[in-house]
Amino acid sequence: MERHHPRRWLAAFGLSACLAVPALAEPAIEVFTTAGDPAVNVPSGVAVIELDAPGRLDAELSQDLPADPDVAAAMMRERMATPEWQETANRYADSYLGLARAWQLGVEKVPAVVIDGRYVIYGQPDVAAALREAERLMGQEGRR
């Protein structure tokens, strides 16, 4: 008789639990937009990613820098040595993670409301309305 190793059972149980959780969880909703096209009626817990955030942060950081590159570099080194710089670095990281996520999902234009990384509603800045539209479309898809 074959014996099953306890780790295999635990691994199988853990995998089945991970697969069951998405079915029980609320759908993951991500909104991709720009500062010029703000999202409205955003439910709590919904991620809003402004794809122009890195460029705006660049402009903010380069504001008031002198034209001389050596002096500007020295000023940036001073800024980067301050305790506040970590917050700025975190903002950069978050903004580029948002860009990477949009690229990963294949977002083509904004605004885009993405549900579970699979369904997308383009052109609707009203997130609540986009979610109603997605629900209607998914209901029609289920009836086919």
Side-chain angles (χ1 to χ4, degrees):
M1 179 151 136
E2 182 181 332
R3 289 194 49 152
H4 294 283
H5 196 278
R7 286 187 185 155
R8 286 187 186 159
W9 282 102
L10 288 173
F13 177 74
L15 179 60
S16 64
C18 289
L19 294 174
V21 169
L24 301 174
E26 290 291 316
I29 302 165
E30 300 163 289
V31 179
F32 297 91
T33 190
T34 61
D37 293 313
V40 296
N41 295 323
V42 180
S44 65
V46 170
V48 177
I49 297 112
E50 291 182 345
L51 298 178
D52 59 346
R56 289 195 330 267
L57 191 52
D58 285 343
E60 182 183 318
L61 288 173
S62 63
Q63 187 176 357
D64 301 326
L65 286 178
D68 182 316
D70 293 331
V71 176
M75 286 180 70
M76 282 305 298
R77 280 192 295 277
E78 286 177 20
R79 289 180 188 176
M80 293 170 71
T82 66
E84 295 82 20
W85 179 255
Q86 187 58 53
E87 179 186 331
T88 303
N90 289 343
R91 287 173 53 203
Y92 257 116
D94 289 345
S95 67
Y96 278 104
L97 283 174
L99 276 177
R101 180 68 177 152
W103 177 80
Q104 177 187 33
L105 292 170
V107 171
E108 297 174 0
K109 60 184 177 176
V110 295
V113 177
V114 179
I115 302 142
D116 286 338
R118 297 177 16 197
Y119 305 101
V120 63
I121 300 292
Y122 285 113
Q124 178 57 272
D126 185 325
V127 178
L131 293 174
R132 286 191 300 274
E133 177 69 7
E135 189 174 299
R136 184 185 68 77
L137 291 171
M138 285 187 274
Q140 288 178 351
E141 188 179 275
R143 285 186 240 136
R144 290 183 185 171

